[in-house]
Amino acid sequence: MAGRYKSDLNWSDVTPKDVWLNRRKLMAGAGAVALGSIAGPAAASLNARKTAYGEALEPNTWDEITSYNNFYEFGTDKGDPARYAGELTTDPWTIEIGGLVDRPGSYGLEDILKDVTLEERIYRLRCVERWAMVVPWVGFELADLLDRVGVQPSAKYVAFETALRPEEMRGVRFPVIEWPYKEGLRLDEAMHPLTILATGLYDEPMPNQNGAPIRVVVPWKYGYKSIKSIVKITLVEEQPPTAWNEYSAHEYGFYSNVNPERDHPRWSQKYERRVGGGLFARQTPTAKFNGYGEEVAHLYAGMDLIVNH
């Protein structure tokens, strides 16, 4: 999108009181919390509507979810995001939405959340590195936002970018990958009801190390597809470049669906380890599409998922 300007999208210019209070409480407490995470019990509840998604699953604990993270913008060690992500300023926050949409613009997060009904969805999370969690996300369907900005008929993909702030993200000072972090989904994947924009977990505002203030969650794909701290969403006609696919296409495909039949070149994907089980945690078989095949397998009918990995 050329230039930034106020959109004509008819969202309220006034931040809802509960959102305003939640964000102010979060920011007031963030500086006092050790390791860059939010004090869960002290933060204002998001009052998310409970859903049936994952109700039979046992979530990982708050400490496990917020202390074991991949967020290379803050370092490559699993504990680095919790140590350093508190340096990221998340208020105010804007997302530039452009490309093949009817109402492009730079939208404040408070306007994006205006009149949104937040839901709690308990999803499995599977990392390409073979570790897994169960996370009680709070968010709303990405399709809701895309519908509001008006997707044009020629759009086939959705491209995303993470914030790039070297003064606040110490990890981007090193050429781990090409920054900023980029991801993308096919439009039907982005519009699928399971794909959400998450703004919290355990009914608390999203901790910085988990992708505050807003991130994508696509539960049937490896975790790196669920891009964090989003600042840009672009609707495009051609398949967009993505960070790990550019880094090593034979290791990290564009689709990156969880698939025990397609091993990573350097390790098997047939088994996974649940975080929180200790050093000798029992490995369990990996479920294709991370267990969401009944809902999403039809998206890939007729595709060779070994070639199109």
Side-chain angles (χ1 to χ4, degrees), residues 6 10 135 226 289:
K6 182 174 178 63
N10 293 320
V135 182
S226 295
F289 298 114

Side-chain angles (χ1 to χ4, degrees), residues 71 80 93 201 284 289 301:
F71 200 167
D80 284 344
W93 194 270
L201 59 89
T284 57
F289 298 114

Side-chain angles (χ1 to χ4, degrees), residues 57-94:
L57 299 173
E58 180 182 354
N60 281 77
T61 67
W62 173 273
D63 287 344
E64 289 165 352
I65 296 168
T66 61
S67 65
Y68 194 90
N69 308 104
N70 282 335
F71 200 167
Y72 285 1
E73 283 83 346
F74 300 102
T76 56
D77 184 83
K78 293 294 185 288
D80 284 344
R83 281 188 285 270
Y84 303 122
E87 299 172 8
L88 178 66
T89 301
T90 58
D91 187 2
W93 194 270
T94 60

Side-chain angles (χ1 to χ4, degrees), residues 46-50 113 116-120 138-140 197 199:
L46 296 179
N47 299 314
R49 182 172 69 86
K50 304 298 181 182
L113 296 179
V116 165
T117 299
L118 295 176
E119 297 182 340
E120 179 182 78
V138 172
F140 62 100
L197 288 169
T199 60

Side-chain angles (χ1 to χ4, degrees), residues 89-142:
T89 301
T90 58
D91 187 2
W93 194 270
T94 60
I95 300 179
E96 184 179 344
I97 305 178
L100 300 172
V101 297
D102 296 330
R103 292 172 283 278
S106 185
Y107 293 101
L109 182 60
E110 65 275 10
D111 285 331
I112 290 174
L113 296 179
K114 174 65 175 174
D115 296 327
V116 165
T117 299
L118 295 176
E119 297 182 340
E120 179 182 78
R121 297 191 179 189
I122 302 173
Y123 282 166
R124 302 178 190 89
L125 172 66
R126 171 60 152 83
C127 180
V128 71
E129 299 169 339
R130 295 184 297 190
W131 56 266
M133 288 185 181
V134 173
V135 182
W137 301 108
V138 172
F140 62 100
E141 292 182 17
L142 173 58

Side-chain angles (χ1 to χ4, degrees), residues 20 53 78 132-133 149 180 211 213 237 252 296 302:
W20 186 88
Y53 287 97
K78 293 294 185 288
M133 288 185 181
V149 298
E237 189 169 2
Y252 308 103
V296 304

Side-chain angles (χ1 to χ4, degrees), residues 161-180:
E161 283 189 16
T162 292
L164 178 60
R165 301 179 186 171
E167 68 281 4
E168 296 181 346
M169 297 171 146
R170 61 184 64 205
V172 304
R173 303 167 195 169
F174 305 95
V176 179
I177 58 173
E178 184 176 341
W179 310 107

